[in-house]
Amino acid sequence: MCNIKGILVIPDKLNDIYAFDSIISLEKEIYAKSIHTLDISSVSFIEPYSMTNLLLIARRYLKNTGNRLKLTQIPLPIHQYLTRMNFFKYPIFDEPEPLDSKKMLTRSALSKRILEITEIPNLERESVRVISQAVSLFRRRGAYILKHWFCPDTVNYFVTVISEVCQNVFEHSMDSGFLALQTYTYNRENVVRLVIADSGIGIEESFSAEQKKTYGTGSALIKNALTAPISGKREFGYGLCRVNSIIKEMKGNLFIRSDRSSVAFVYNKGYSDNAYSFLKDDLEPFSGTQISISLYG
Amino acid sequence: MIISVKKIAKALKSDSPDLLTRPTGRRFFEQAIKKLENASTDETVICDFSGIEVIDPSFVDEFIVKLIKTSQDDKKPFYIRLKNISSVVEENIRSVFTSYCEFAKTKFSVITEDITKDNTHIIGITSDTEREIIEIMRINGTMATETISKHLGLDSIDTAHILEQMHKDRLVKKDSDRYLVV
């Protein structure tokens, strides 16, 4: 994957939350081979989970080395998309040559299928303000974003989800995070994907050693946080439980990756009340907690 | 007394239909407590959510759960009735109460003015008997223990015990040997 010194060629694995694990596996190469540039010429599509996690990789690189990673050989549609999503607004990647204004994606009403990348600060007051702004923007665009799933309460359900998951960033992660949302068509399927990701201490570390011991594996702990009123900070918690019950009601999918573990609840292909659940441990470490919520229709 | 949540929001310079996050819930609770200083003992406090679309579980915990716990303090008891709650607000309240009950191994509920999704006027974990009491009290306004006991076909001592607990939970009011609707 490393063809020219200092340049790492990124494979076309930014189109799926599970495929992104192969990018995570490449992160250690960045440091081992003194990589300063990512060649994304092979990338044909970036979905929001991969995009926000790419930002986390670059932010960690910036913290560790004091330098910004650079993206090169960016295909035009990818460049347009990243610019539209405010990917380069944050001084994390070395900003590439800006797009010609004629080539930029419009910000008309018809392009309001997204919530641009928004940083969730780790300071309480700032974070509350940002969450309120993000929800307010979502309210303005929600009917369009969720038009394939529309029922009167769908937007209100999503407001609850955005608020609860974003709060976990400043309440538990000890780090700031990113939010992004997009609706798109992939393989003839309409997808809406909400991503909230941070590179903080992760779910397992937010629980006491005793609590961790009770649940055994990281994935079992995450699964319990989604299905039972447990909390690492308070006597009991219910935010993730409520998020899970909403996604179940909406027959969506919920994926959480934290450090070396992941849990996926797949409600859109399950039977009646049962979901397919996939628990994984011993993954390549990736600090923090990354949550992807998807609806398909 | 009526506590208009929208008015508190305006006082706190918020015009959003959504009340989100723990810090926001804490600020609203502080405002509500100030208003409650003017309430009489045993007064019914109507918490009016008109104009509000969503309150998230964190806000529920910091505002509604704390209000209910405060109402159960014997120093100055009061009763809460929720009004004009949206269906998502109702579900979020129910979700928090269910989690709380699972954690604390106790019952926790609140009276509502409007009929809920499960055709009652209460949100929370309650028994069928308690729900039935709430509904007949709504129709009759005030009833003696003996009358309720006959209506339910229950032993009067058992009924008295249930009513006493419901009174402690602030789900019914009590006036000597009679019980009143909240």
Side-chain angles (χ1 to χ4, degrees):
Chain A
M1 291 293 175
C2 187
N3 302 328
I4 304 168
K5 201 178 174 196
I7 299 179
L8 182 68
V9 179
I10 297 294
D12 191 13
K13 300 282 186 186
L14 300 176
N15 52 9
D16 179 78
I17 51 175
Y18 302 102
F20 191 79
D21 258 41
S22 60
I23 306 295
I24 291 172
S25 304
L26 293 176
E27 190 180 6
K28 53 180 180 276
E29 275 190 44
I30 293 174
Y31 298 98
K33 296 179 178 172
S34 302
I35 299 294
H36 50 71
T37 301
L38 306 180
D39 177 340
I40 60 169
S41 56
S42 309
V43 174
S44 61
F45 181 76
I46 301 187
E47 55 76 46
Y49 177 86
S50 305
M51 177 182 60
T52 46
N53 284 324
L54 202 58
L55 264 186
L56 293 182
I57 288 174
R59 190 171 69 171
R60 196 156 37 238
Y61 180 86
L62 181 59
K63 278 180 188 168
N64 290 337
T65 67
N67 298 314
R68 291 185 199 161
L69 274 173
K70 190 175 179 183
L71 291 181
T72 189
Q73 303 288 328
I74 311 172
L76 179 63
I78 301 292
H79 200 162
Q80 287 173 317
Y81 172 68
L82 292 177
T83 304
R84 175 69 187 90
M85 290 298 281
N86 289 347
F87 184 86
F88 299 112
K89 177 185 155 189
Y90 299 95
I92 294 173
F93 273 99
D94 213 7
E95 195 166 4
E97 195 66 31
L99 276 176
D100 187 294
S101 59
K102 287 176 187 167
K103 290 181 178 171
M104 281 194 191
L105 296 180
T106 59
R107 298 194 178 218
S108 70
L110 289 174
S111 68
K112 286 175 180 171
R113 295 158 63 101
I114 61 168
L115 286 188
E116 294 88 350
I117 297 170
T118 304
E119 186 170 19
I120 311 294
N122 63 351
L123 298 171
E124 184 178 282
R125 183 178 288 193
E126 276 295 291
S127 189
V128 169
R129 185 180 59 77
V130 170
I131 292 170
S132 170
Q133 286 172 348
V135 165
S136 174
L137 183 62
F138 176 73
R139 276 220 171 272
R140 291 202 294 276
R141 299 179 179 177
Y144 195 83
I145 290 171
L146 294 167
K147 67 176 180 181
H148 296 293
W149 297 268
F150 197 75
C151 84
D153 286 333
T154 310
V155 171
N156 288 343
Y157 278 138
F158 250 72
V159 166
T160 303
V161 168
I162 292 170
S163 169
E164 281 300 329
V165 182
C166 286
Q167 281 180 81
N168 283 345
V169 175
F170 76 85
E171 285 235 327
H172 301 289
S173 82
M174 319 275 276
D175 189 25
S176 63
F178 295 106
L179 167 151
L181 182 147
Q182 194 193 351
T183 176
Y184 54 94
T185 306
Y186 191 69
N187 288 341
R188 293 184 180 180
E189 200 167 31
N190 294 309
V191 183
V192 61
R193 178 158 296 161
L194 167 69
V195 176
I196 290 148
D198 67 72
S199 49
I201 60 171
I203 292 178
E204 227 180 324
E205 280 307 303
S206 72
F207 282 83
S208 67
E210 198 180 324
Q211 285 171 308
K212 281 193 272 185
K213 208 173 167 185
T214 308
Y215 298 105
T217 63
S219 63
L221 176 62
I222 297 170
K223 186 181 178 184
N224 266 280
L226 287 166
T227 54
I230 61 169
S231 169
K233 195 171 176 181
R234 297 188 174 77
E235 287 183 314
F236 74 107
Y238 34 65
L240 282 178
C241 278
R242 179 68 187 131
V243 167
N244 184 34
S245 67
I246 287 173
I247 303 309
K248 183 179 179 180
E249 173 114 7
M250 298 175 84
K251 297 196 187 314
N253 294 347
L254 175 59
F255 174 79
I256 300 188
R257 196 191 196 284
S258 189
D259 195 21
R260 298 174 69 97
S261 306
S262 75
V263 170
F265 281 162
V266 179
Y267 291 108
N268 68 325
K269 296 191 193 306
Y271 298 102
S272 63
D273 271 357
N274 297 321
Y276 289 116
S277 60
F278 302 94
L279 277 64
K280 285 185 184 176
D281 290 290
D282 302 320
L283 298 167
E284 197 70 40
F286 195 70
S287 63
T289 304
Q290 299 82 42
I291 300 181
S292 167
I293 288 161
S294 311
L295 300 181
Y296 299 89
Chain B
M1 168 182 270
I2 297 174
I3 293 180
S4 164
V5 177
K6 194 71 185 170
K7 276 187 184 169
I8 295 181
K10 274 185 186 162
L12 294 172
K13 293 176 181 168
S14 165
D15 59 357
S16 170
D18 308 310
L19 302 177
L20 312 169
T21 75
R22 284 186 176 277
T24 308
R26 284 195 284 270
R27 288 171 70 209
F28 274 66
F29 178 70
E30 283 167 15
Q31 295 293 317
I33 287 296
K34 280 183 195 166
K35 286 184 182 289
L36 284 167
E37 284 169 8
N38 301 320
S40 318
T41 300
D42 288 329
E43 186 166 348
T44 296
V45 175
I46 297 169
C47 226
D48 187 348
F49 285 86
S50 58
I52 303 298
E53 294 281 344
V54 175
I55 61 172
D56 70 1
S58 298
F59 186 97
V60 173
D61 191 37
E62 295 290 344
F63 184 71
I64 296 179
V65 170
K66 282 186 179 171
L67 267 185
I68 293 171
K69 283 183 176 175
T70 307
S71 77
Q72 291 169 350
D73 187 344
D74 286 334
K75 283 179 193 165
K76 190 181 174 184
F78 62 94
Y79 300 83
I80 296 169
R81 194 164 78 217
L82 305 183
K83 187 180 175 184
N84 292 322
I85 50 172
S86 72
S87 60
V88 172
V89 168
E90 183 188 323
E91 287 180 46
N92 286 346
I93 294 171
R94 183 175 287 110
S95 161
V96 171
F97 285 12
T98 305
S99 293
Y100 182 78
C101 293
E102 194 179 321
F103 159 76
K105 310 283 181 223
T106 185
K107 289 178 180 174
F108 200 77
S109 36
V110 68
I111 298 293
T112 62
E113 179 135 326
D114 316 295
I115 198 152
T116 61
K117 283 185 175 178
D118 49 6
N119 288 323
T120 61
H121 290 84
I122 187 166
I123 304 174
I125 305 295
T126 47
S127 67
D128 289 346
T129 306
E130 286 165 327
R131 277 185 216 167
E132 202 172 342
I133 290 171
I134 296 294
E135 297 312 312
I136 58 166
M137 292 286 286
R138 273 186 63 83
I139 295 164
N140 293 291
T142 171
M143 291 171 89
T145 307
E146 203 60 35
T147 318
I148 297 170
S149 161
K150 279 181 188 165
H151 183 91
L152 296 173
L154 284 177
D155 178 83
S156 58
I157 295 170
D158 289 343
T159 308
H161 180 73
I162 291 167
L163 285 164
E164 195 50 43
Q165 187 57 48
M166 288 177 76
H167 176 243
K168 279 185 184 168
D169 294 338
R170 305 289 178 252
L171 300 176
V172 289
K173 288 183 169 184
K174 189 178 182 184
D175 183 13
S176 61
D177 63 338
R178 294 183 73 79
Y179 287 92
L180 291 82
V181 67
V182 169

